[in-house]
Amino acid sequence: MQVPLLDLKRQYASIELDVKEAIDAVLATQYFIMGPNVKELEEKIAAHCNAGYAVACASGSDALLLALWALGVGPGDEVITTPFTFFATAGSISRLGATPVFVDIKPDTYNIDPELIKPAVTERTKAIIPVHLFGQCADADEINAVAEEASIPVIEDAAQAIGSHYKDRRAGSLGTCGCFSFFPTKNLGAYGDGGMVTTNDDGLYDRLSILRLHGSRPKYYHKLVGMNSRLDALQAAVLLVKFPHLERWNEGRRQNAALYNRLLADSPAVTPVEVPLRRHIYNQYTIRVPERDSLREYLKEKGIGTEIYYPVPLHRQECYADLGYAEGSLPVAEKAAREVLALPIFPELTDQEQEYVAECIKTFFSRKG
Ligand SMILES: *Cc1c(COP(=O)(O)O)cnc(C)c1O
């Protein structure tokens, strides 16, 4: 049996006719950048996460960049974030000439440890970026309490968490603003790049809206030097077809996670921890095992796709060598980077495929004795 890490063809088969119809409609208009589809998507995403506004842009990376930029982050500033995330979280900080300040994560959820944020705050701290890693919200109340005390904004990196809940709120409305990605592998994926920023702040909404259009308002009159970061109408059309399915797909991932949890309960693999009152939406289902590399090799021989998110924590990346974080400086993230392994979790995965994956994992450990 072959079990891929992700098989988007199965999802496409279930929506193919609707997608083609939506794309044809855009082709008929020959209107490709921004426009009514983008506006409708912004309204739907804002309503979905209970935010006042949403601003579409070209990618999740740009969403982070625009959010920091609109909040006035620039050279000499510091932004506190997690080292255990996709590179874009920190890269967006560096691209504005600011410095990422990495603090360690919690060993159970892999999310930023709120206890470590306060000691890292200095007078140069301009923002905190928690990441809702793998689809489970970070500790928003604790993070917001530190941020409020220090009067600094919180930018949620919700790229992996569209539709995840925190108590009675949703990712994207837990901080000052929320950043989403529509990269194809996310729970709501486009057929190319796309991103969005959500916020309840009028002033921030205004700055985000013009920064993505070269700072212009009206057209050809430039208040600010911005950038070109627009969402195109074809991506918005595809996302509008997919959006009504998002809740069901998220629920499918949760059910698959529950089945793995049962199947792996008597194995040495540590399964994901769900914090009460948070709805994890499993963009990734990540187990941890000390023998990670040999397990991965074994599963590959058995035809099972896996991935390591992430093999090198950001404070240990070559490009950040000059920040001076020694090996062992953020030990929880470094240990996680050695032990985590993501298993196939996409909604269309069958029970038989999951049983096969779990069986292979158990066989690996029993052979090891
Ligand atoms: C995917 C992702 C991003 C970046 O999104 P792109 O759309 O690929 O630019 C940022 N942060 C996290 C945590 C992500 O998973």
Side-chain angles (χ1 to χ4, degrees):
M1 194 188 289
Q2 296 283 321
V3 188
L5 179 68
L6 173 64
D7 181 4
L8 282 170
K9 292 194 198 97
R10 299 188 203 177
Q11 185 194 71
Y12 182 54
S14 73
I15 54 173
E16 184 175 350
L17 293 179
D18 292 343
V19 167
K20 285 183 168 158
E21 201 175 293
I23 288 178
D24 274 345
V26 174
L27 296 181
T29 68
Q30 290 292 297
Y31 191 102
F32 295 114
I33 305 292
M34 305 287 281
N37 283 326
V38 171
K39 194 158 177 33
E40 186 182 341
L41 184 70
E42 288 175 336
E43 285 164 6
K44 290 208 157 127
I45 300 286
H48 173 75
C49 49
N50 240 321
Y53 308 102
V55 178
C57 62
S59 69
S61 303
D62 274 5
L64 289 159
L65 184 76
L66 286 163
L68 287 161
W69 199 354
L71 286 164
V73 173
D77 295 337
E78 295 174 353
V79 178
I80 297 171
T81 192
T82 164
F84 200 58
T85 174
F86 178 60
F87 183 76
T89 315
S92 60
I93 300 166
S94 304
R95 278 194 55 195
L96 289 166
T99 305
V101 173
F102 298 111
V103 305
D104 216 343
I105 57 168
K106 303 216 293 193
D108 54 350
T109 62
Y110 311 106
N111 279 327
I112 194 167
D113 185 340
E115 304 265 315
L116 302 176
I117 295 176
K118 196 171 166 180
V121 173
T122 72
E123 68 263 23
R124 297 202 294 175
T125 308
K126 285 291 156 61
I128 304 169
I129 310 184
V131 177
H132 305 319
L133 200 70
F134 304 143
Q136 177 164 243
C137 289
D139 297 318
D141 287 346
E142 290 83 352
I143 295 167
N144 288 340
V146 179
E148 255 163 55
E149 201 188 314
S151 300
I152 43 181
V154 175
I155 299 171
E156 297 170 67
D157 183 339
Q160 301 181 3
I162 191 159
S164 87
H165 299 190
Y166 177 92
K167 300 183 179 171
D168 55 355
R169 290 175 285 157
R170 297 236 182 158
S173 63
L174 306 175
T176 313
C177 58
C179 299
F180 292 98
S181 163
F182 304 122
F183 187 78
T185 64
K186 311 292 182 181
N187 287 27
L188 182 63
Y191 290 172
D193 277 309
M196 199 164 285
V197 187
T198 52
T199 186
N200 279 313
D201 183 305
D202 300 313
L204 193 55
Y205 168 66
D206 201 53
R207 285 193 296 284
L208 288 165
S209 309
I210 65 174
L211 278 174
R212 70 174 160 171
L213 300 172
H214 284 302
S216 66
R217 180 181 294 154
K219 220 172 175 179
Y220 310 123
Y221 291 80
H222 299 265
K223 280 180 186 295
L224 303 166
V225 179
M227 69 192 286
N228 168 7
S229 184
R230 302 170 298 216
L231 187 67
D232 66 71
L234 286 169
Q235 298 308 335
V238 169
L239 290 165
L240 283 170
V241 169
K242 286 189 169 198
F243 181 72
H245 302 285
L246 176 63
E247 281 307 306
R248 188 167 50 81
W249 288 335
N250 281 348
E251 203 45 48
R253 286 170 182 267
R254 287 181 52 74
Q255 278 169 18
N256 291 347
L259 179 55
Y260 272 142
N261 290 347
R262 288 197 297 278
L263 294 170
L264 294 171
D266 56 349
S267 90
V270 177
T271 54
V273 169
E274 272 193 48
V275 183
L277 304 180
R278 279 174 226 191
R279 180 172 180 250
H280 196 323
I281 49 108
Y282 293 97
N283 180 243
Q284 302 299 342
Y285 181 92
T286 301
I287 60 168
R288 73 189 289 167
V289 290
E291 344 25 24
R292 190 265 316 277
D293 292 335
S294 42
L295 173 61
R296 185 171 195 218
E297 200 48 47
Y298 180 76
L299 293 178
K300 189 177 167 200
E301 280 165 27
K302 296 288 168 193
I304 297 167
T306 61
E307 190 51 270
I308 299 167
Y309 303 109
Y310 295 89
V312 182
L314 301 188
H315 69 290
R316 297 293 297 154
Q317 293 287 348
E318 196 179 332
C319 64
Y320 286 139
D322 59 346
L323 295 179
Y325 292 88
E327 189 171 351
S329 56
L330 301 175
V332 184
E334 289 167 39
K335 188 160 190 279
R338 289 191 295 271
E339 297 187 344
V340 291
L341 189 65
L343 304 180
I345 192 68
F346 58 94
E348 299 82 7
L349 202 63
T350 66
D351 288 2
Q352 293 90 312
E353 286 172 318
Q354 289 195 270
E355 280 154 17
Y356 175 68
V357 172
E359 223 32 69
C360 289
I361 291 172
K362 288 192 206 168
T363 310
F364 169 82
F365 283 111
S366 64
R367 281 191 345 162
K368 259 186 77 234

